[in-house]
Amino acid sequence: MSEAELTAVIQRVTYFNEATGYCVLKVAPVSEVNRDELDRDGVVTVVGVMVAFAEGETVRFSGQWVNNATYGRQFKAERFVPVQPQNERGIVRYLQERIPGVGQTTAQRIYQHFGEETLSILEREPERLRELGLKQKIIDNTRQALQENRLERLTIVELQNYGITPNQARKIYAQYGPSAREILRTDPYQLATDVYGIGFKRADQIARAVGIAHNSRERVRAGLVFTVEQLTQEGHTFIPRATLIEEAARLLDVDDRDLISSALSEQIVLGLLISDTLHRSGQTIEAVYAPVLYHSEHGAARRIRDQLLMPSKLQEHARSVDWPKFLAELSKQHALKLTPQQQGAVKAVFECKLSVLTGGPGTGKTTTLRMVINALEQAKFSYALASPTGRAAKRLSEASGRLASTIHRLLEFSPFEGGFARNEDHPLECDVLIIDESSMMDLVLFYNVLKALPQHAHLMLVGDVDQLPSVGAGNVLRDVIDSGHAFVTRLKVIFRQDDKSHIVQNAHRINHGEMPYLSNDSHDFFFFQINDNAKVGEMVVDVVENRIPSKFGFDPMNDIQVLAPMYRGPAGVDAINQALQARLNGGVGLAELRIGQRRFRMNDKIMQTKNNYEKDVFNGDMGRVIGLDATRGHEKLIVRIDDKEIEYDYQTADEQLLLAYCISTHRSQGSEYPVVVMPITTSHYMMLQRNLLYTAITRAKKLVVLIGDRQAVSMAVRNDKVTQRYSGLLPRLKALAL
């Protein structure tokens, strides 16, 4: 479809969203248009992401004519070029809208004095307003307003020429102001660092357009930082120098390794990357870090050392306790019987500044944790309970019968200050800090926990080390376990086991590298062999909508959660979400709000994807849409999460909410569901890892259904490479002098 152009005068701004830049304009065409493009009033509706226009302005739009099912014929603008108003009505309106202190009467006087050349005269010589006897303040306002407006328009128009959307262009101008065009031409790679939504690849396109060479030092230096960012998103805290050079060469398509090595040295000198020497497994490694990860890793090791060297009241108390008698009385009092290994874990919380409790499903972690809490209360020591996510904190509260919070809330994170109020200068007030689901805790969060922990306090990490590691960089729980500085209790005896149940048995078989039982002869674990990817997705929908509810009585909306390894493809998160929404919540006439490519409907299952402290909701929280308003200019969603009703405007919903009929396995960490359904096919091969399958299965309390290919299950069971992350925390901990 060929691009169309429309030059028109803005008659009315029907809607403008300041956050997104989305506009709905009514315009009077100056260029020729077909009669059927006009509405009954003889005007055209223009929609798109633009700047804030004023009535009377003339604009040349480029885009497409489209038919909107609700609003009829519209011009969808993809680019725009403002044209200065050239008639009395447009100029008067422009002056009123743009210059503080200028009303209609003053604007009319200015036009009558200068005529159609008003704006060009005032841009060059605003002092000429003295000819009308106007005050200096209005002259200054005119100079500033016209200059800023001109620069913003020129910048946004120029940015569009480099393939940047109007919305991205507005963000760039908001970041740099009048300097934006100069930065664009001299160092476009700075955009990737400074402007959210402009990554290296987009900045690289701009750099090509402004003539920066493919093998320029600027491009290679920026590409190195981007390469480090990409690899740390895979969980690595550092990258070996040689590996980084090879990865950057591949990503940048630059063969000159000497150039890349030299540029890397420059980035290190400038402090944009940090180099350090590590000794791991008998090898010396030159490790390259992003600064935040270097300081977090180095600081975490140093604080653990300081923690271990400081004696505590708990340790002093532990030396005076008759432990066999104390634990026997405690077990009798709370009707909880512990194995010698579990008793050792309770005792370790008192005797050791750093302890770990780990184990698979059904091995008694929760029972042991309850006894730790009972023992601390009996001995009158204070403690705090926390988890990395809101879901995990809620489960910890339910399991312990005590108040638990997210780590961010415990450390009093401030979205306005951008940091934690609890730190070395304002530490937590507790004798013991217990963190559950600690396998989800990344390096940066762990460092902030240690900064807030008073030196006399003890730290207990609880979690399943064999689950997926944290989404963020690091392998904290495993590194602490392997360091030799923590008292580690690894529970292996399965208490919660039913001979006819395969969920727990299969979880442990997978964890040991053995194929799970797929014979379908249990009451809680089933496998459907299907080789066709498209049919796998169809079967998932049928199983959720029909088969499980009819055979087991579970509610498809409230009880069943689909977990998928990947987002793309017919058996991926996105496709299954759309299909399940249509089948489970697709009634005719159901109210809905379209946000980007997504449609949110009344009663939809949704997930919060970012911590939002103002709304008191957190990454991973799930809820239902209970209200919505699709009126232009007033779009909003009302969501119930637990017992809270939360209102989201258009932009916040766009940035923070996803449909949750199907979610990724990573997003399920810290949660439990009555039923888990999982598509697993060889097309998911990039994500088929042992701990991913193990994590998915251990989310289910009552029923697991796998749908896909037996070969894919085997691939996942055999593949444990995901646990191999570049992390310097372990060698730093092993090197501690205590």
Side-chain angles (χ1 to χ4, degrees):
M1 184 182 293
S2 60
E3 187 174 75
E5 286 198 349
L6 170 67
T7 302
V9 178
I10 296 172
Q11 304 294 299
R12 186 168 71 256
V13 180
T14 302
Y15 172 65
F16 176 68
N17 185 314
E18 290 217 14
T20 64
Y22 184 77
C23 294
V24 179
L25 309 171
K26 296 292 185 180
V27 304
V30 174
S31 56
E32 285 190 16
V33 298
N34 295 329
R35 183 179 296 274
D36 60 0
E37 315 286 12
L38 304 173
D39 66 16
R40 288 177 297 180
D41 298 327
V43 296
V44 170
T45 300
V46 177
V47 299
V49 177
M50 292 170 263
V51 294
F53 288 118
E55 294 177 9
E57 289 193 69
T58 303
V59 184
R60 184 167 66 251
F61 302 100
S62 300
Q64 306 291 340
W65 291 98
V66 297
N67 289 311
N68 184 284
T70 304
Y71 300 103
R73 193 71 166 162
Q74 297 178 336
F75 190 88
K76 185 177 181 181
E78 296 168 0
R79 296 192 307 280
F80 60 88
V81 179
V83 179
Q84 281 194 335
Q86 297 174 357
N87 57 34
E88 179 178 359
R89 179 174 178 272
I91 292 172
V92 169
R93 174 75 71 172
Y94 185 86
L95 294 173
Q96 281 182 257
E97 296 281 347
R98 296 299 181 197
I99 303 173
V102 173
Q104 184 173 3
T105 301
T106 303
Q108 197 72 48
R109 284 181 59 206
I110 294 171
Y111 175 80
Q112 289 172 354
H113 187 73
F114 295 115
E116 292 184 357
E117 299 297 315
T118 295
L119 294 180
S120 59
I121 290 170
L122 294 184
E123 279 187 0
R124 296 192 310 270
E125 304 173 89
E127 296 292 335
R128 287 191 61 185
L129 289 173
R130 294 185 188 279
E131 297 171 13
L132 293 163
L134 297 179
K135 296 179 180 179
Q136 185 62 40
K137 185 174 182 179
I138 289 181
I139 295 172
D140 292 341
N141 288 345
T142 301
R143 177 186 294 108
Q144 183 176 351
L146 292 181
Q147 182 180 16
E148 288 181 356
N149 188 256
R150 178 174 176 273
L151 284 171
E152 181 179 4
R153 300 294 178 83
L154 286 172
T155 301
I156 290 176
V157 169
E158 182 172 330
L159 287 168
Q160 290 178 85
N161 292 332
Y162 300 128
I164 294 174
T165 67
N167 194 27
Q168 291 173 327
R170 293 175 76 252
K171 289 180 181 178
I172 292 170
Y173 190 82
Q175 175 71 31
Y176 300 118
S179 304
R181 297 169 74 200
E182 181 64 21
I183 290 171
L184 185 77
R185 292 168 181 162
T186 59
D187 188 12
Y189 293 106
Q190 190 173 334
L191 273 62
T193 302
D194 297 342
V195 183
Y196 179 78
I198 305 288
F200 172 81
K201 292 182 179 179
R202 174 64 72 182
D204 200 28
Q205 291 174 355
I206 298 170
R208 300 287 186 88
V210 300
I212 293 177
H214 179 77
N215 61 346
S216 68
R217 297 191 78 83
E218 296 92 342
R219 180 172 185 267
V220 173
R221 283 173 49 188
L224 281 162
V225 173
F226 175 68
T227 304
V228 171
E229 290 173 354
Q230 291 292 102
L231 293 172
T232 55
Q233 286 178 13
E234 296 177 12
H236 306 296
T237 66
F238 73 86
I239 316 300
R241 183 183 180 107
T243 302
L244 175 58
I245 290 171
E246 290 305 311
E247 285 295 317
R250 181 186 60 79
L251 184 146
L252 296 170
D253 191 25
V254 172
D255 292 330
D256 190 342
R257 267 55 172 185
D258 291 338
L259 170 64
I260 297 173
S261 181
S262 174
L264 175 55
S265 297
E266 289 180 18
Q267 295 297 71
I268 291 169
V269 169
L270 291 170
L272 297 173
L273 296 172
I274 294 177
S275 178
D276 198 10
T277 301
L278 291 174
H279 302 284
R280 295 179 63 205
S281 305
Q283 293 183 317
T284 299
I285 300 172
E286 184 177 355
V288 180
Y289 288 83
V292 67
L293 293 174
Y294 172 79
H295 294 302
S296 294
E297 192 174 273
H298 190 271
R302 176 170 48 83
R303 290 188 175 277
I304 286 177
R305 178 201 63 199
D306 295 344
Q307 206 79 22
L308 294 174
L309 290 172
M310 176 69 71
S312 72
K313 291 181 179 179
L314 273 91
Q315 290 173 317
E316 182 181 341
H317 173 80
R319 288 191 286 270
S320 64
V321 173
D322 182 341
W323 284 102
K325 180 180 177 182
F326 176 73
L327 291 171
E329 291 176 352
L330 203 62
S331 295
K332 183 178 180 181
Q333 181 181 344
H334 295 279
L336 291 173
K337 185 176 181 181
L338 300 185
T339 66
Q341 190 183 30
Q342 290 173 309
Q343 291 178 16
V346 176
K347 184 180 176 184
V349 173
F350 288 78
E351 293 182 332
C352 304
K353 295 294 292 290
L354 181 60
S355 62
V356 173
L357 176 65
T358 187
T363 56
K365 290 195 303 296
T366 300
T367 300
T368 308
L369 179 56
R370 285 177 184 156
M371 285 297 280
V372 168
I373 292 170
N374 293 335
L376 291 170
E377 291 176 345
Q378 184 81 8
K380 295 183 170 47
F381 285 103
S382 62
Y383 61 89
L385 303 175
S387 291
T389 69
R391 293 165 296 159
K394 183 180 178 182
R395 284 183 55 207
L396 178 56
S397 292
E398 293 169 349
S400 66
R402 306 294 190 273
L403 179 65
S405 71
T406 64
I407 295 174
H408 281 75
R409 183 168 297 285
L410 180 71
L411 302 188
E412 299 176 19
F413 179 83
S414 169
F416 306 105
E417 299 295 330
F420 296 98
R422 294 287 183 172
N423 51 38
E424 58 267 43
D425 298 320
H426 182 42
L428 296 168
E429 298 166 3
C430 62
D431 296 311
V432 180
L433 174 59
I434 300 170
I435 297 180
D436 194 21
E437 295 289 355
S438 53
S439 63
M440 301 172 65
M441 185 167 51
D442 63 34
L443 175 65
V444 175
L445 186 56
F446 183 52
Y447 177 48
N448 280 285
V449 166
L450 294 172
K451 285 201 294 183
L453 191 67
Q455 286 196 356
H456 73 268
H458 291 212
L459 177 63
M460 180 187 191
L461 302 180
V462 182
D464 187 345
V465 72
D466 296 315
Q467 287 185 18
L468 285 168
S470 58
V471 175
N475 210 351
V476 169
L477 182 59
R478 186 172 295 279
D479 286 348
V480 170
I481 289 172
D482 293 343
S483 71
H485 294 304
F487 185 99
V488 179
T489 303
R490 183 186 283 270
L491 301 175
K492 296 182 179 180
V493 177
I494 303 173
F495 296 100
R496 194 178 75 234
Q497 186 167 359
D498 174 350
D499 290 340
K500 296 181 180 179
S501 169
H502 279 174
I503 293 179
V504 173
Q505 291 184 55
N506 278 343
H508 286 273
R509 288 180 66 83
I510 290 167
N511 197 30
H512 295 141
E514 302 171 8
M515 279 291 286
Y517 298 121
L518 302 178
S519 56
N520 293 343
D521 57 1
S522 74
H523 60 79
D524 63 358
F525 199 104
F526 297 90
F527 175 71
F528 288 87
Q529 171 71 37
I530 300 176
N531 297 326
D532 187 307
N533 288 345
K535 290 182 179 178
V536 167
E538 293 171 4
M539 176 61 81
V540 168
V541 174
D542 185 37
V543 163
V544 172
E545 182 186 19
N546 301 310
R547 299 195 184 203
I548 292 176
S550 64
K551 183 171 182 177
F552 298 98
F554 290 110
D555 181 83
M557 293 284 278
N558 296 317
D559 299 329
I560 304 173
Q561 184 60 55
V562 181
L563 306 179
M566 294 181 69
Y567 279 86
R568 298 179 180 176
V573 171
D574 295 334
I576 292 175
N577 254 327
Q578 291 181 15
L580 284 174
Q581 183 191 45
R583 297 287 281 274
L584 301 179
N585 197 34
V588 177
L590 199 64
E592 69 176 32
L593 174 62
R594 185 178 298 211
I595 298 180
Q597 299 299 313
R598 290 164 290 158
R599 297 183 182 186
F600 290 99
R601 296 172 177 159
M602 287 291 293
N603 204 40
D604 267 338
K605 289 175 68 172
I606 60 88
M607 172 176 275
Q608 176 80 18
T609 62
K610 294 181 180 179
N611 291 336
N612 188 323
Y613 300 91
E614 294 178 55
K615 297 184 182 295
D616 195 33
V617 289
F618 301 92
N619 183 17
D621 284 349
M622 296 180 72
R624 293 287 190 87
V625 176
I626 61 170
L628 60 82
D629 186 346
T631 307
R632 276 184 175 160
H634 303 280
E635 297 98 332
K636 66 180 180 182
L637 287 174
I638 300 174
V639 176
R640 178 178 287 122
I641 296 177
D642 296 329
D643 58 350
K644 300 186 294 287
E645 292 187 7
I646 302 139
E647 183 175 305
Y648 294 81
D649 60 25
Y650 183 99
Q651 183 180 13
T652 308
D654 186 27
E655 294 176 351
Q656 299 186 9
L657 295 183
L658 289 176
L659 290 175
Y661 299 91
C662 177
I663 63 175
S664 71
T665 309
H666 282 85
R667 289 196 180 277
S668 74
Q669 287 179 270
S671 291
E672 281 188 345
Y673 315 99
V675 181
V676 165
V677 176
M678 184 184 190
I680 180 164
T681 74
T682 52
S683 67
H684 296 149
Y685 70 94
M686 292 182 63
M687 297 298 294
L688 292 181
Q689 294 141 351
R690 183 184 301 171
N691 53 6
L692 181 134
L693 180 57
Y694 174 79
T695 299
I697 288 173
T698 55
R699 299 309 89 205
K701 293 190 288 186
K702 298 181 179 179
L703 181 67
V704 170
V705 179
L706 301 183
I707 302 172
D709 189 343
R710 190 180 297 266
Q711 182 184 352
V713 177
S714 177
M715 289 170 64
V717 170
R718 294 196 310 268
N719 180 14
D720 65 347
K721 71 173 184 178
V722 73
T723 59
Q724 308 304 314
R725 291 183 168 190
Y726 293 122
S727 169
L729 182 59
L730 179 58
R732 293 184 195 281
L733 291 176
K734 284 189 171 183
L736 292 180
L738 298 175

